[in-house]
Short mmCIF file of all heavy atoms in Angstrom, two decimals:
data_model
loop_
_atom_site.label_atom_id
_atom_site.label_comp_id
_atom_site.label_asym_id
_atom_site.label_seq_id
_atom_site.Cartn_x
_atom_site.Cartn_y
_atom_site.Cartn_z
N GLU A 158 49.35 8.23 63.48
CA GLU A 158 48.28 8.58 64.48
C GLU A 158 48.57 9.95 64.97
O GLU A 158 49.68 10.31 65.32
CB GLU A 158 48.37 7.55 65.60
CG GLU A 158 47.32 7.77 66.66
CD GLU A 158 47.34 6.77 67.71
OE1 GLU A 158 48.46 6.17 68.00
OE2 GLU A 158 46.28 6.53 68.40
N TYR A 159 47.58 10.79 65.06
CA TYR A 159 47.63 12.18 65.52
C TYR A 159 46.69 12.38 66.61
O TYR A 159 45.63 11.78 66.64
CB TYR A 159 47.31 13.20 64.38
CG TYR A 159 48.33 13.02 63.21
CD1 TYR A 159 47.93 12.29 62.03
CD2 TYR A 159 49.53 13.79 63.23
CE1 TYR A 159 48.75 12.21 60.95
CE2 TYR A 159 50.37 13.67 62.09
CZ TYR A 159 50.04 12.90 60.98
OH TYR A 159 50.88 12.88 59.89
N THR A 160 47.03 13.30 67.55
CA THR A 160 46.11 13.77 68.59
C THR A 160 45.41 14.99 68.07
O THR A 160 46.10 15.95 67.83
CB THR A 160 46.88 14.06 69.91
OG1 THR A 160 47.51 12.79 70.30
CG2 THR A 160 45.94 14.48 70.94
N VAL A 161 44.18 14.95 67.98
CA VAL A 161 43.41 16.05 67.43
C VAL A 161 42.30 16.42 68.41
O VAL A 161 41.87 15.71 69.25
CB VAL A 161 42.84 15.76 66.08
CG1 VAL A 161 43.98 15.47 65.01
CG2 VAL A 161 41.88 14.59 66.07
N THR A 162 41.73 17.64 68.17
CA THR A 162 40.52 18.08 68.90
C THR A 162 39.40 18.25 67.89
O THR A 162 39.52 19.04 66.98
CB THR A 162 40.80 19.44 69.58
OG1 THR A 162 41.86 19.23 70.54
CG2 THR A 162 39.56 19.89 70.40
N VAL A 163 38.32 17.52 68.11
CA VAL A 163 37.22 17.44 67.22
C VAL A 163 35.99 17.98 68.00
O VAL A 163 35.57 17.34 68.97
CB VAL A 163 36.92 16.10 66.61
CG1 VAL A 163 35.70 16.11 65.69
CG2 VAL A 163 38.13 15.58 65.88
N ASP A 164 35.42 19.09 67.52
CA ASP A 164 34.19 19.65 68.16
C ASP A 164 34.40 19.82 69.67
O ASP A 164 33.52 19.52 70.46
CB ASP A 164 32.97 18.82 67.87
CG ASP A 164 32.59 18.82 66.42
OD1 ASP A 164 32.96 19.87 65.68
OD2 ASP A 164 32.10 17.89 65.91
N GLY A 165 35.57 20.24 69.99
CA GLY A 165 35.90 20.54 71.49
C GLY A 165 36.40 19.34 72.22
O GLY A 165 36.74 19.51 73.46
N ALA A 166 36.45 18.14 71.68
CA ALA A 166 36.78 16.92 72.46
C ALA A 166 38.16 16.36 71.89
O ALA A 166 38.30 16.24 70.68
CB ALA A 166 35.77 15.89 72.38
N ALA A 167 39.09 16.02 72.80
CA ALA A 167 40.38 15.49 72.32
C ALA A 167 40.15 14.03 71.97
O ALA A 167 39.54 13.28 72.65
CB ALA A 167 41.36 15.63 73.49
N THR A 168 40.83 13.61 70.85
CA THR A 168 40.78 12.23 70.42
C THR A 168 41.96 11.97 69.52
O THR A 168 42.79 12.79 69.35
CB THR A 168 39.47 12.02 69.58
OG1 THR A 168 39.33 10.58 69.26
CG2 THR A 168 39.48 12.83 68.27
N THR A 169 42.05 10.77 69.01
CA THR A 169 43.19 10.42 68.11
C THR A 169 42.65 10.05 66.78
O THR A 169 41.44 9.57 66.63
CB THR A 169 43.97 9.16 68.67
OG1 THR A 169 43.05 8.03 68.75
CG2 THR A 169 44.63 9.56 69.94
N ALA A 170 43.40 10.33 65.67
CA ALA A 170 42.96 10.04 64.30
C ALA A 170 44.18 9.51 63.46
O ALA A 170 45.36 9.98 63.73
CB ALA A 170 42.37 11.26 63.71
N TRP A 171 43.91 8.61 62.64
CA TRP A 171 44.88 8.09 61.70
C TRP A 171 44.73 8.81 60.36
O TRP A 171 43.65 8.94 59.91
CB TRP A 171 44.84 6.55 61.50
CG TRP A 171 45.20 5.81 62.72
CD1 TRP A 171 44.36 5.50 63.80
CD2 TRP A 171 46.49 5.23 63.08
NE1 TRP A 171 45.02 4.79 64.77
CE2 TRP A 171 46.36 4.60 64.33
CE3 TRP A 171 47.70 5.16 62.34
CZ2 TRP A 171 47.39 3.94 64.93
CZ3 TRP A 171 48.75 4.54 62.97
CH2 TRP A 171 48.57 3.91 64.25
N SER A 172 45.88 9.12 59.75
CA SER A 172 45.80 9.81 58.42
C SER A 172 47.00 9.53 57.64
O SER A 172 48.14 9.46 58.18
CB SER A 172 45.59 11.38 58.64
OG SER A 172 45.53 11.99 57.40
N THR A 173 46.85 9.55 56.25
CA THR A 173 47.93 9.30 55.45
C THR A 173 48.20 10.69 54.69
O THR A 173 49.05 10.70 53.73
CB THR A 173 47.58 8.30 54.22
OG1 THR A 173 46.40 8.71 53.58
CG2 THR A 173 47.36 6.93 54.93
N ALA A 174 47.56 11.78 55.15
CA ALA A 174 47.75 13.12 54.47
C ALA A 174 49.20 13.51 54.70
O ALA A 174 49.85 13.18 55.74
CB ALA A 174 46.85 14.11 55.05
N SER A 175 49.72 14.27 53.82
CA SER A 175 51.15 14.74 53.81
C SER A 175 51.27 16.11 54.44
O SER A 175 52.34 16.56 54.62
CB SER A 175 51.70 14.75 52.42
OG SER A 175 50.97 15.59 51.59
N THR A 176 50.11 16.81 54.69
CA THR A 176 50.16 18.06 55.41
C THR A 176 49.19 18.13 56.63
O THR A 176 48.30 17.28 56.71
CB THR A 176 49.71 19.21 54.44
OG1 THR A 176 48.31 19.02 54.10
CG2 THR A 176 50.50 19.16 53.17
N VAL A 177 49.53 18.99 57.54
CA VAL A 177 48.67 19.17 58.75
C VAL A 177 47.31 19.58 58.30
O VAL A 177 46.28 19.04 58.91
CB VAL A 177 49.34 20.22 59.68
CG1 VAL A 177 48.44 20.36 60.94
CG2 VAL A 177 50.76 19.89 60.07
N SER A 178 47.14 20.49 57.36
CA SER A 178 45.87 20.83 56.90
C SER A 178 45.13 19.75 56.37
O SER A 178 43.90 19.59 56.57
CB SER A 178 46.00 22.01 55.88
OG SER A 178 44.73 22.44 55.42
N GLY A 179 45.85 18.84 55.61
CA GLY A 179 45.18 17.69 54.95
C GLY A 179 44.65 16.69 56.02
O GLY A 179 43.59 16.10 55.85
N VAL A 180 45.34 16.61 57.19
CA VAL A 180 44.86 15.75 58.21
C VAL A 180 43.55 16.24 58.78
O VAL A 180 42.58 15.48 58.99
CB VAL A 180 45.92 15.62 59.38
CG1 VAL A 180 45.33 14.89 60.62
CG2 VAL A 180 47.20 15.02 58.88
N LEU A 181 43.40 17.51 59.00
CA LEU A 181 42.20 18.08 59.52
C LEU A 181 41.09 18.09 58.55
O LEU A 181 39.89 17.84 58.93
CB LEU A 181 42.47 19.55 60.00
CG LEU A 181 43.52 19.69 61.15
CD1 LEU A 181 43.64 21.18 61.50
CD2 LEU A 181 43.07 18.95 62.35
N ASN A 182 41.43 18.29 57.33
CA ASN A 182 40.37 18.34 56.27
C ASN A 182 39.69 17.00 56.08
O ASN A 182 38.50 16.89 55.72
CB ASN A 182 40.93 18.79 54.97
CG ASN A 182 41.17 20.37 54.94
OD1 ASN A 182 40.46 21.11 55.60
ND2 ASN A 182 42.16 20.74 54.10
N ALA A 183 40.32 15.94 56.44
CA ALA A 183 39.87 14.54 56.27
C ALA A 183 38.90 14.24 57.38
O ALA A 183 38.27 13.13 57.34
CB ALA A 183 41.02 13.57 56.13
N LEU A 184 38.86 15.00 58.46
CA LEU A 184 38.14 14.63 59.64
C LEU A 184 36.62 14.99 59.33
O LEU A 184 36.40 16.12 58.80
CB LEU A 184 38.54 15.31 60.88
CG LEU A 184 40.03 14.94 61.28
CD1 LEU A 184 40.39 15.88 62.52
CD2 LEU A 184 40.03 13.51 61.78
N PRO A 185 35.65 14.14 59.81
CA PRO A 185 34.29 14.44 59.55
C PRO A 185 33.68 15.36 60.63
O PRO A 185 32.94 14.92 61.48
CB PRO A 185 33.66 13.03 59.67
CG PRO A 185 34.49 12.29 60.62
CD PRO A 185 35.91 12.79 60.34
N ALA A 186 34.23 16.61 60.65
CA ALA A 186 33.81 17.60 61.69
C ALA A 186 33.83 18.93 61.09
O ALA A 186 34.70 19.29 60.24
CB ALA A 186 34.69 17.46 62.93
N GLN A 187 32.96 19.81 61.62
CA GLN A 187 33.01 21.25 61.22
C GLN A 187 34.14 21.99 61.85
O GLN A 187 34.76 22.87 61.16
CB GLN A 187 31.62 21.86 61.58
CG GLN A 187 30.46 21.53 60.76
CD GLN A 187 30.65 22.00 59.28
OE1 GLN A 187 31.10 23.11 58.97
NE2 GLN A 187 30.35 21.01 58.36
N ALA A 188 34.54 21.65 63.03
CA ALA A 188 35.64 22.36 63.72
C ALA A 188 36.63 21.32 64.22
O ALA A 188 36.18 20.35 65.00
CB ALA A 188 35.08 23.27 64.86
N SER A 189 37.89 21.48 63.96
CA SER A 189 38.88 20.53 64.40
C SER A 189 40.23 21.33 64.53
O SER A 189 40.42 22.28 63.83
CB SER A 189 39.11 19.25 63.46
OG SER A 189 39.35 19.74 62.19
N SER A 190 41.15 20.71 65.26
CA SER A 190 42.49 21.36 65.48
C SER A 190 43.41 20.41 65.97
O SER A 190 43.15 19.30 66.46
CB SER A 190 42.37 22.59 66.50
OG SER A 190 42.01 22.06 67.77
N MET A 191 44.74 20.69 65.72
CA MET A 191 45.80 19.85 66.22
C MET A 191 47.14 20.76 66.35
O MET A 191 47.23 21.79 65.82
CB MET A 191 46.05 18.74 65.35
CG MET A 191 46.56 19.03 63.94
SD MET A 191 46.86 17.61 62.86
CE MET A 191 48.31 16.94 63.58
N ALA A 192 48.03 20.28 67.16
CA ALA A 192 49.26 21.06 67.35
C ALA A 192 50.01 21.07 66.01
O ALA A 192 50.15 20.08 65.37
CB ALA A 192 50.18 20.31 68.37
N ALA A 193 50.54 22.21 65.65
CA ALA A 193 51.26 22.42 64.37
C ALA A 193 52.64 21.86 64.61
O ALA A 193 53.25 21.90 65.65
CB ALA A 193 51.40 23.93 64.10
N ASP A 194 53.11 21.17 63.58
CA ASP A 194 54.40 20.57 63.68
C ASP A 194 55.61 21.53 63.79
O ASP A 194 55.69 22.34 62.96
CB ASP A 194 54.70 19.61 62.49
CG ASP A 194 55.93 18.77 62.60
OD1 ASP A 194 56.40 18.61 63.70
OD2 ASP A 194 56.43 18.31 61.54
N ARG A 195 56.34 21.38 64.98
CA ARG A 195 57.54 22.32 65.09
C ARG A 195 58.70 21.43 65.61
O ARG A 195 58.60 20.76 66.59
CB ARG A 195 57.36 23.44 66.09
CG ARG A 195 56.37 24.54 65.63
CD ARG A 195 56.47 25.72 66.52
NE ARG A 195 56.06 25.47 67.85
CZ ARG A 195 56.33 26.33 68.88
NH1 ARG A 195 57.07 27.37 68.76
NH2 ARG A 195 55.86 26.02 70.11
N SER A 196 59.77 21.33 64.85
CA SER A 196 60.89 20.53 65.18
C SER A 196 62.21 21.25 64.90
O SER A 196 62.36 21.95 63.88
CB SER A 196 60.82 19.17 64.48
OG SER A 196 61.94 18.39 64.75
N TYR A 197 63.17 20.98 65.85
CA TYR A 197 64.49 21.54 65.59
C TYR A 197 65.45 20.54 65.12
O TYR A 197 66.65 20.89 64.88
CB TYR A 197 64.97 22.23 66.92
CG TYR A 197 64.05 23.25 67.51
CD1 TYR A 197 63.27 23.03 68.45
CD2 TYR A 197 64.07 24.56 66.92
CE1 TYR A 197 62.32 24.06 69.01
CE2 TYR A 197 63.23 25.54 67.39
CZ TYR A 197 62.33 25.23 68.44
OH TYR A 197 61.53 26.25 68.89
N THR A 198 65.01 19.24 65.00
CA THR A 198 65.96 18.19 64.74
C THR A 198 65.57 17.43 63.44
O THR A 198 66.31 16.61 62.95
CB THR A 198 65.95 17.16 65.87
OG1 THR A 198 64.67 16.59 66.01
CG2 THR A 198 66.48 17.81 67.13
N ARG A 199 64.45 17.70 62.86
CA ARG A 199 63.99 17.07 61.66
C ARG A 199 63.19 17.97 60.75
O ARG A 199 62.79 19.14 61.13
CB ARG A 199 63.16 15.79 61.97
CG ARG A 199 61.93 16.22 62.73
CD ARG A 199 60.96 14.98 63.04
NE ARG A 199 59.94 15.26 63.93
CZ ARG A 199 58.85 16.01 63.72
NH1 ARG A 199 58.74 16.47 62.53
NH2 ARG A 199 57.98 16.17 64.66
#
């Protein structure tokens, strides 16, 4: 489960994609975004 922004509205989406870009590409929207994964422990 990811927190994403779709057409300006925040929502949640489930995805099996292995990349952040893949998660967004699977969304049925022209414009979407999500926080890029940044981790210092994994």
Side-chain angles (χ1 to χ4, degrees):
E158 185 179 23
Y159 299 95
T160 298
V161 298
T162 300
V163 178
D164 296 330
T168 185
T169 57
W171 290 84
S172 177
T173 59
S175 59
T176 66
V177 180
S178 179
V180 173
L181 297 179
N182 286 331
L184 296 174
Q187 285 296 316
S189 57
S190 63
M191 65 180 288
D194 185 19
R195 289 195 294 164
S196 176
Y197 301 101
T198 60
R199 56 175 172 76

